[in-house]
Amino acid sequence: MLDLHFVRENLDAVKAALQNRNFPIDSLEKFVQLDTTRRRVIGESDAINQQRNHSSKEIGALVQTGKKDEADAKKAEVADLKDKQNELEHQRKKVEAEMNDLLSHLPNVPQTNVPVGADESANSEVRRWGTPKEFDFEPKDHVDLGEALGILDLERATKITGSRFAILNGAGARLERALVNFMLDIHTTEHGYTETLPPFIVNRKTLFGTNQLPKFEDDLFHLKDERGLALIPTAEVPVTNYHADEILDAKDLPKCFAAYSPCFRSEAGSYGKDTRGLIRQHQFEKVELVKLSLPENSNDEHEKLTENAERILQLLGLPYRTVVLSTGDMGFGAAKTYDIEVWLPSQNTFREISSCSNCEDFQARRMNLRFRRAGGAKLEFVHTLNGSGLAVGRTWIAILENYQQADGSIQIPEILQSYMNGLEKIG
RNA sequence: GGAGACGUGGCUGAGUGGCUGAAAGCGGCAGUUUGCUAAAUUGUUGAGGAUCAAAAGUCUUCCACAGGUUCGAAUCCUGUCGUCUCCGCCA
């Protein structure tokens, strides 16, 4: 959420940012109007409050000195004030609610070094690693490979749940589990993250903190429960909110978390997109990286976090490229985002396997996550960052496709073999 | 699921209708003192909003949250949420 004062004082900059994000700017005119009204109403309301408080004290004194008539006269006066007050308070609440609603629907302002553009065609590649393998046979996709090997069963998953669900069996299930453990081990032992295992169900306040609400209600799986709970779409939600409503000590920053979790997404509006295989599922597993950082360090932390995620692909020997998303392609809360895209032979292209964002103080403001510097200075909002390190299902796909052999077997990357009980190949 | 207790500032903890944004202690910050460390001592120390060019100042709101009673609520009433204890149940 953008700061009220920031929007008021940087109206033109915010307007430009919204336009670059393909976001309608008419709400900013409404903003100016609401802002003016709000301040007027608060001024009037406070003035009446002051009178009331003052009169109440006088009444107290009059009652104690036995001047009942005068006290009664005053009481009548205050009763009048109270009516006006109620009216103003009502207005104030209404205006503030509208204002909040408006602000909570505004996306973050992109950093100035983010490429401006309408969509993903304006994304810009920042680096590339590895060389896609040349196959001397026609490479299959992960569905053909997995089903032939008996490690992937999409049909029965559809039977027991529905489309966009999958069952992994045998070495396939083991590979998934190996990847989770491998990723967590690297991030905790080599990259300094603290492992955390959060709840997979969260409340609405938490969903608001990381921007899923109010705008993206339909992307979630909601529980039929009077508490308004939902399944997490990513561990970013519970983990970033871990310190919500707290005041952290500057010396404890940055805080770096690595969290495994399943992720649940309704994928509303994506019908017909990536319908084959594991690419786009309603449920998938992910190891998520989250950082809480000092504002002045968040860009450096963002670079490091992205490199930490890339490191996993390097260790697995999977070719990838990293792109910086354009203003039109970025997520709602991000100020800057790098996507890491892994090479998929079957599609002869790079596909997203991680998205690493610096949200600056956008989420922190929503969840009231602040810190104090030494010297007792004023409280400031923490900067929050997150990125997949990595999406496990898509890594599973990448391994099958990149490590497939002519006979349909899958060679296991060496670094994973110890996680697979020494298994060198599947099939 | 049943019964009971409770929810106050960074922490502990006073406060049962006006003089309480809140005692006291701890912690934090600033200073003084003392070979160093430690201790002692003095002062200071919540958050949001409005006003203001800014600071200062002034005003206002906040004692889990939302309502209500009252001229006046941390204090009384109702609801919600949460925590703890005991019983039941269960992995």
Side-chain angles (χ1 to χ4, degrees), chain A residues 38-50:
Chain A
R38 174 175 169 273
R39 290 196 275 173
R40 196 199 73 230
V41 172
I42 285 177
E44 291 173 12
S45 173
D46 280 1
I48 291 187
N49 256 334
Q50 186 186 357

Side-chain angles (χ1 to χ4, degrees), chain A residues 268-296:
Chain A
S270 67
Y271 311 109
K273 209 193 256 180
D274 299 317
T275 48
R276 182 174 164 83
L278 295 176
I279 291 269
R280 191 174 298 275
Q281 297 273 293
H282 286 312
Q283 174 189 320
F284 62 96
E285 312 213 303
K286 186 153 62 67
V287 169
E288 181 76 357
L289 304 176
V290 170
K291 289 190 183 189
L292 309 179
S293 159
L294 290 171
E296 61 271 31

Side-chain angles (χ1 to χ4, degrees), chain A residues 171 174-175 399 403-405 407 409-427:
Chain A
R174 180 69 184 251
L175 176 60
I399 286 179
Y403 281 95
Q404 62 178 297
Q405 309 296 306
D407 63 358
S409 65
I410 312 297
Q411 185 196 327
I412 308 284
E414 207 175 318
I415 201 159
L416 274 186
Q417 290 175 8
S418 62
Y419 288 92
M420 297 286 290
N421 204 20
L423 192 67
E424 289 174 20
K425 76 176 204 179
I426 303 175

Side-chain angles (χ1 to χ4, degrees), chain A residues 59 80 143 187 191 210 232 245 319-320 360 382 395 397:
Chain A
I59 291 169
D80 278 353
V143 178
H187 292 312
H191 299 153
T210 32
I232 57 171
D245 291 316
Y320 68 87
E360 299 184 340
V382 165
T395 309
I397 295 172

Side-chain angles (χ1 to χ4, degrees), chain A residues 194-227:
Chain A
T194 302
E195 184 171 348
T196 179
L197 184 65
F200 304 150
I201 294 176
V202 292
N203 60 32
R204 296 185 68 83
K205 179 176 178 294
T206 300
L207 289 160
F208 179 82
T210 32
N211 330 320
Q212 280 72 30
L213 296 181
K215 278 200 81 170
F216 307 104
E217 185 101 48
D218 293 345
D219 294 345
L220 299 165
F221 280 112
H222 296 276
L223 269 56
K224 196 173 176 188
D225 178 294
E226 67 279 2
R227 288 171 293 188

Side-chain angles (χ1 to χ4, degrees), chain A residues 134-345:
Chain A
E134 295 286 342
F135 291 93
D136 50 15
F137 56 93
E138 184 63 30
K140 296 178 179 148
D141 82 349
H142 69 281
V143 178
D144 289 342
L145 291 164
E147 288 184 338
L149 289 165
I151 61 173
L152 174 65
D153 191 339
L154 294 166
E155 237 174 78
R156 290 195 179 82
T158 304
K159 176 178 71 180
I160 66 173
T161 305
S163 65
R164 292 199 197 275
F165 285 88
I167 297 167
L168 301 183
N169 288 320
R174 180 69 184 251
L175 176 60
E176 177 91 2
R177 181 157 57 93
L179 285 169
V180 170
N181 286 333
F182 165 65
M183 291 177 193
L184 283 172
D185 283 352
I186 297 296
H187 292 312
T188 55
T189 63
E190 292 186 18
H191 299 153
Y193 291 78
T194 302
E195 184 171 348
T196 179
L197 184 65
F200 304 150
I201 294 176
V202 292
N203 60 32
R204 296 185 68 83
K205 179 176 178 294
T206 300
L207 289 160
F208 179 82
T210 32
N211 330 320
Q212 280 72 30
L213 296 181
K215 278 200 81 170
F216 307 104
E217 185 101 48
D218 293 345
D219 294 345
L220 299 165
F221 280 112
H222 296 276
L223 269 56
K224 196 173 176 188
D225 178 294
E226 67 279 2
R227 288 171 293 188
L229 303 177
L231 298 175
I232 57 171
T234 158
E236 171 199 346
V237 177
V239 177
T240 311
N241 276 283
Y242 188 78
H243 288 292
D245 291 316
E246 293 184 27
I247 297 168
L248 303 177
D249 200 324
K251 72 176 192 305
D252 296 329
L253 299 173
K255 280 181 176 281
C256 305
F257 300 101
Y260 154 81
S261 88
C263 305
F264 304 92
R265 300 187 181 179
S266 76
E267 297 294 344
S270 67
Y271 311 109
K273 209 193 256 180
D274 299 317
T275 48
R276 182 174 164 83
L278 295 176
I279 291 269
R280 191 174 298 275
Q281 297 273 293
H282 286 312
Q283 174 189 320
F284 62 96
E285 312 213 303
K286 186 153 62 67
V287 169
E288 181 76 357
L289 304 176
V290 170
K291 289 190 183 189
L292 309 179
S293 159
L294 290 171
E296 61 271 31
N297 296 339
S298 70
N299 283 327
D300 286 347
E301 296 294 346
H302 186 208
E303 298 298 327
K304 279 201 265 175
L305 186 147
T306 307
E307 286 163 22
N308 295 154
E310 289 176 18
R311 180 78 183 137
I312 299 294
L313 289 171
Q314 292 171 12
L315 290 170
L316 292 173
L318 294 169
Y320 68 87
R321 66 172 189 171
T322 301
V323 301
V324 57
L325 296 191
S326 75
T327 53
D329 199 28
M330 297 168 70
F332 181 78
K336 185 174 184 180
T337 299
Y338 291 116
D339 268 10
I340 304 172
E341 301 176 340
V342 71
W343 179 256
L344 289 191

Side-chain angles (χ1 to χ4, degrees), chain A residues 16-70:
Chain A
L18 294 194
Q19 277 173 323
N20 289 339
R21 275 178 165 273
N22 311 321
F23 199 89
I25 54 163
D26 45 332
S27 60
L28 286 184
E29 283 164 35
K30 181 95 185 288
F31 171 88
V32 173
Q33 198 189 341
L34 285 171
D35 185 43
T36 311
T37 309
R38 174 175 169 273
R39 290 196 275 173
R40 196 199 73 230
V41 172
I42 285 177
E44 291 173 12
S45 173
D46 280 1
I48 291 187
N49 256 334
Q50 186 186 357
Q51 281 185 56
R52 271 184 67 194
N53 291 339
H54 186 73
S55 296
S56 287
K57 277 189 184 165
E58 287 182 344
I59 291 169
L62 290 170
V63 168
Q64 277 179 355
T65 52
K67 296 176 181 165
K68 189 166 177 309
D69 292 349
E70 288 180 50

